[in-house]
Amino acid sequence: MPDIIHLLPDSVANQIAAGEVIQRPASAVKELLENAIDAGATSIELIIKDAGKTLIQVIDNGSGMSDTDARLCFERHATSKIKDASDLFCIRTMGFRGEALASIAAIAQVELKTRRHDDDLGTLLILEGTDVKSQEICQCAAGTSFAVKNLYFNVPARRNFLKADNIESTHITEEFYRVALINPQIAFSYHHNNKLVIQVSKSTFKQRIINLFGKNFTERLIPVEQETNVVAINGFIGKPEFAKKVRGEQYFFINKRFIKHPYLHHAVENAFQELIPEKSIPSYFIQMEVDPKLIDINIHPTKTEVKFQDEKTIYAILRSVVKQSLGKFSLSPSIDFEVEPSLDLNPPPASYIPKEPAIKIDPYYNPFDHSKAFKPSNESPRERSNKQNWEKLFDIRETNQNVPENTHIIVKNTQHKLIEDNEQASLEQNHNNIFQLKNRYIVSTISSGLLIIDQQRAHERILYESYMAGLNNLHSVSQQQLFPQTITFNPSDADLLNELRNDIFFFGFEINEFGKNSFIINGIPADIEDTNIKEILEGMLESYKKNMIDVKVDKKINLALSLARNMAVKPGKRLTEPEMQSIIDRLFACSLPEISPSNKKILITVTIDELNENFNK
Ligand code: ADP
Ligand code: MG
């Protein structure tokens, strides 16, 4: 028997390898764009004809190549990017395997024009299926132009596999976006069938996002930024209200390389939880810089997956930085006393006569007597530690040297005049003053200015988080009713209440059926008054139904949302100072003190600088 094994000719081997690297025209686009970036280009043109089937051309003003390099670059494993194995651990370039051009050349007709900036003349090289057809000296611009014609001309089976032009060109556009997004320092243009698709000049990352995705992104983006010793994160997330049901605006880049990472995607999604309807996907454009040594180097050029050594830590950091930004963005820098007409603000009853905003004065108040200071009786250790957080956040207890001169705003003013003397000045610095505005907002001085809190939204957040915590631990405290009320509902609400009865038991409601759409209320949550139970339960059922349709959240979350909304103090409710203090303290013990569960701004700050600016307009 003769031997049967033989080596495949290079051309066939290259074609097989090419199938892996160049799966479709978009893969060639990606490789050529990345080579141009590695060559240090500041301007890159992409020209496509017939979705890349007829022509893919990339023209750059990068380093260019010598005539020998121009020849060599098409050889398999020909690369200028690594020299030995150790280089593999500090790869910062897009390519390094030296496979892309060899693969492209194996399955297309390629025309390369290239000139280094210091050379007078360049090289023109024509190849067809790896064979060099001609090489000559030519006049051309500094940089490199690769024209890839008739992709898969020699592999008809493969060519037949290509999808319709619109599909292939969508893939190309997506590759172009990925590369253009993360390289805002480079100007790009993209033509398809002689029409300009997009052109962007050198800009910032934010501007690049706006240039590529549209002007309306100007208002939508919230910055994220965090530098740690494991990862440096920066970029932008879309505001929750712009989350879409379809994928498409999710971009992670690791060391300037686009990646897909379901695990990290989950981190972002998790941070957005509660803020967006179920099945909506937040937009994000996030770049991460990680020491290349901490990334698995065995990344295939066509793959967009990456493995990190310390994935869990990166997950935690990413989640927290996104959460933080989501929180921060609602801190509007402007004085905005306008309340947008929102669904969750119940109008006061017609009989309600608005009172003058009164400053409650305690004539016996002694600023130096700290024993009387209100402490919420049920302050937990978690609340205490979190309180320190918010004090830090707002620099509430800043010392004298940090307080700019002549910038006292004194609200708790027992003498109805601006108090200038030192004693009162120190009072202001040692105690944050609180009052209620229009029975609707809690206003507190902080060292940087004023903090204005929407009482209903704040309370809603507090209740929501305590319910969610209760759901995960034991159930809330219920106060047993001495004289249980009987409440009758309409038939459909009665049905729903019946269905939810066991669930709301965990929130402190003990409700038993009494027949004919009636229920006996034996116990209610400890923190509500029994006078408006019917109203609360009806409101809760209403919100629950609405959430089922609009937000489609999980049943338990929906209940917590609906109860929190209906049990929160309403505008118009007069609060005592200890109550206000307790709301402030408990609010800042929450994980998201700035946004209500229904995604509304809870607080705004007005800084002294902003006040000064307004007075000097
Ligand atoms: P890799 O990028 O992995 O090194 P390629 O096959 O993509 O492999 O490219 C081979 C080499 O050709 C590169 O290492 C680089 O030296 C050179 N090269 C490719 N494209 C360009 C370009 N646009 N400008 C300058 N040099 C280039
Ligand atoms: Mg390359």
Side-chain angles (χ1 to χ4, degrees):
M1 279 266 281
D3 296 334
I4 52 171
I5 297 179
H6 59 93
L7 287 174
L8 288 174
D10 269 1
S11 57
V12 179
N14 280 346
Q15 272 186 20
I16 294 171
E20 273 176 41
V21 183
I22 309 299
Q23 288 158 339
R24 55 179 2 139
S27 332
V29 170
K30 171 178 185 274
E31 295 298 338
L32 295 176
L33 290 176
E34 289 187 347
N35 279 346
I37 287 162
D38 285 344
T42 57
S43 167
I44 300 176
E45 285 172 59
L46 170 65
I47 299 166
I48 301 291
K49 291 222 168 99
D50 303 322
K53 293 170 187 170
T54 311
L55 175 74
I56 298 167
Q57 185 172 14
V58 171
I59 306 167
D60 69 56
N61 65 351
S63 62
M65 284 180 269
S66 69
D67 53 354
T68 321
D69 284 350
R71 193 69 183 251
L72 257 180
C73 74
F74 294 102
E75 294 295 323
R76 189 156 298 278
H77 307 305
T79 180
S80 54
K81 298 167 195 174
I82 56 169
K83 287 205 173 66
D84 52 45
S86 64
D87 289 345
L88 282 174
F89 298 99
C90 45
I91 274 292
R92 288 248 170 221
T93 50
M94 299 292 120
F96 60 87
R97 294 169 164 244
E99 275 176 317
L101 292 179
S103 300
I104 292 172
I107 50 165
Q109 294 151 345
V110 179
E111 195 182 291
L112 163 64
K113 265 190 211 164
T114 185
R115 175 169 76 82
R116 293 181 297 189
H117 290 247
D118 292 339
D119 294 343
D120 294 327
L121 291 169
T123 306
L124 167 65
L125 197 74
I126 295 175
L127 291 95
E128 203 172 290
T130 314
D131 295 336
V132 178
K133 294 282 170 204
S134 73
Q135 173 163 10
E136 54 197 62
I137 293 168
C138 76
Q139 289 221 321
C140 61
T144 303
S145 156
F146 277 100
V148 177
K149 296 176 184 168
N150 305 320
L151 200 65
Y152 305 118
F153 80 103
N154 51 356
V155 208
R158 185 94 207 177
R159 202 173 162 90
N160 293 339
F161 261 105
L162 290 177
K163 299 259 169 20
D165 280 10
N166 62 344
I167 297 180
E168 294 301 343
S169 68
T170 307
H171 283 287
I172 291 174
T173 307
E174 182 56 30
E175 287 301 348
F176 175 82
Y177 266 55
R178 290 172 183 176
V179 173
L181 252 176
I182 195 59
N183 290 288
Q185 78 287 2
I186 301 176
F188 285 90
S189 71
Y190 166 23
H191 287 83
H192 189 196
N193 292 340
N194 298 321
K195 272 204 212 106
L196 180 66
V197 180
I198 201 151
Q199 182 162 32
V200 284
S201 46
K202 174 183 171 201
S203 70
T204 60
F205 186 41
K206 182 173 183 184
Q207 193 55 47
R208 178 57 53 91
I209 299 171
I210 294 164
N211 288 345
L212 291 175
F213 288 88
K215 266 213 192 82
N216 45 10
F217 271 76
T218 320
E219 303 304 316
R220 294 186 187 179
L221 300 173
I222 309 169
V224 286
E225 197 169 359
Q226 181 79 58
E227 210 175 320
T228 70
N229 51 358
V230 185
V231 59
I233 296 174
N234 82 79
F236 296 88
I237 50 176
K239 288 186 182 169
E241 57 266 42
F242 298 106
K244 293 183 184 154
K245 287 251 155 50
V246 288
R247 289 196 146 269
E249 289 154 8
Q250 290 75 39
Y251 291 89
F252 277 134
F253 301 94
I254 303 287
N255 298 350
K256 301 222 152 201
R257 186 189 298 272
F258 170 83
I259 59 151
K260 284 188 185 144
H261 207 292
Y263 183 63
L264 292 184
H265 173 78
H266 186 266
V268 178
E269 240 179 10
N270 187 289
F272 269 86
Q273 216 182 26
E274 299 170 20
L275 298 179
I276 56 174
E278 213 185 2
K279 299 218 171 71
S280 289
I281 313 164
S283 315
Y284 54 83
F285 309 88
I286 296 177
Q287 30 179 334
M288 291 174 257
E289 283 289 326
V290 179
D291 184 341
K293 289 194 194 77
L294 304 177
I295 304 178
D296 182 354
I297 192 58
N298 205 9
I299 351 168
H300 193 273
T302 61
K303 288 215 177 113
T304 44
E305 280 95 34
V306 160
K307 269 204 93 51
F308 301 100
Q309 263 173 32
D310 207 353
E311 231 158 47
K312 285 215 171 102
T313 312
I314 296 183
Y315 180 101
I317 296 171
L318 184 63
R319 180 171 163 269
S320 108
V321 60
V322 172
K323 257 196 155 161
Q324 251 177 43
S325 292
L326 282 169
K328 253 190 262 167
F329 92 90
S330 68
L331 290 176
S332 157
S334 61
I335 302 182
D336 175 12
F337 284 102
E338 246 177 47
V339 189
E340 77 271 64
S342 57
L343 289 169
D344 64 342
L345 291 179
N346 296 345
S351 57
Y352 174 75
I353 302 162
K355 292 199 188 72
E356 288 261 333
I359 300 175
K360 218 177 116 205
I361 296 161
D362 173 5
Y364 304 106
Y365 180 78
N366 175 356
F368 304 105
D369 177 5
H370 291 287
S371 63
K372 276 204 285 177
F374 176 76
K375 289 261 181 309
S377 54
N378 50 356
E379 188 180 59
S380 67
R382 174 174 163 257
E383 283 175 339
R384 227 169 293 131
S385 75
N386 275 307
K387 204 159 69 175
Q388 284 159 5
N389 287 348
W390 88 270
E391 281 165 3
K392 245 187 272 151
L393 183 66
F394 290 102
D395 283 347
I396 282 198
R397 277 154 229 247
E398 254 183 359
T399 47
N400 278 348
Q401 70 261 20
N402 292 335
V403 179
E405 279 174 22
N406 304 325
T407 53
H408 311 308
I409 302 182
I410 293 158
V411 183
K412 185 167 196 144
N413 176 354
T414 53
Q415 282 129 53
H416 294 281
K417 72 175 175 68
L418 278 181
I419 299 167
E420 304 280 16
D421 64 61
N422 288 340
E423 197 179 287
Q424 285 295 344
S426 78
L427 151 72
E428 189 225 342
Q429 286 148 23
N430 289 327
H431 194 96
N432 48 315
N433 306 288
I434 311 173
F435 71 97
Q436 200 183 11
L437 183 66
K438 293 270 185 202
N439 288 345
R440 176 179 218 159
Y441 299 111
I442 301 169
V443 184
S444 170
T445 54
I446 53 176
S447 68
S448 59
L450 280 180
L451 172 68
I452 302 158
I453 295 175
D454 181 308
Q455 65 189 42
Q456 182 185 19
R457 295 178 186 180
H459 196 206
E460 200 178 320
R461 163 59 62 193
I462 295 165
L463 291 174
Y464 175 74
E465 291 205 5
S466 83
Y467 294 153
M468 291 308 285
L471 277 179
N472 299 330
N473 305 311
L474 55 161
H475 66 79
S476 305
V477 191
S478 170
Q479 43 172 322
Q480 293 301 304
Q481 296 297 89
L482 217 48
F483 305 104
Q485 295 180 51
T486 308
I487 303 179
T488 306
F489 292 88
N490 69 41
S492 77
D493 278 2
D495 276 356
L496 183 60
L497 186 60
N498 233 335
E499 195 189 309
L500 298 176
R501 225 157 29 97
N502 289 339
D503 298 290
I504 59 175
F505 176 73
F506 289 97
F507 297 99
F509 283 102
E510 249 189 86
I511 300 177
N512 293 321
E513 247 191 307
F514 197 56
K516 274 215 160 172
N517 307 327
S518 295
F519 296 83
I520 284 205
I521 317 295
N522 287 315
I524 59 172
D527 43 4
I528 63 170
E529 291 164 20
D530 58 1
T531 45
N532 47 3
I533 298 272
K534 184 166 196 276
E535 213 175 288
I536 289 177
L537 284 173
E538 277 175 352
M540 188 272 292
L541 293 172
E542 213 37 58
S543 309
Y544 186 88
K545 285 186 282 188
K546 191 168 180 297
N547 285 346
M548 256 184 350
I549 300 161
D550 295 355
V551 221
K552 300 194 179 62
V553 284
D554 161 279
K555 185 178 182 185
K556 292 258 158 72
I557 296 182
N558 189 351
L559 269 176
L561 280 172
S562 306
L563 276 171
R565 166 169 298 192
N566 288 283
M567 290 183 28
V569 289
K570 299 287 177 297
K573 163 100 176 147
R574 181 98 174 240
L575 299 174
T576 63
E577 190 177 324
E579 281 170 342
M580 289 190 272
Q581 186 63 57
S582 165
I583 285 188
I584 295 182
D585 290 342
R586 285 158 68 200
L587 175 66
F588 285 99
C590 289
S591 65
L592 277 176
E594 295 93 353
I595 313 168
S596 77
S598 22
N599 204 9
K600 300 264 162 53
K601 205 184 275 187
I602 293 177
L603 48 89
I604 59 174
T605 53
V606 182
T607 66
I608 295 293
D609 288 346
E610 285 159 358
L611 279 176
N612 288 343
E613 214 173 274
N614 268 277
F615 278 117
N616 293 325
K617 256 183 193 165

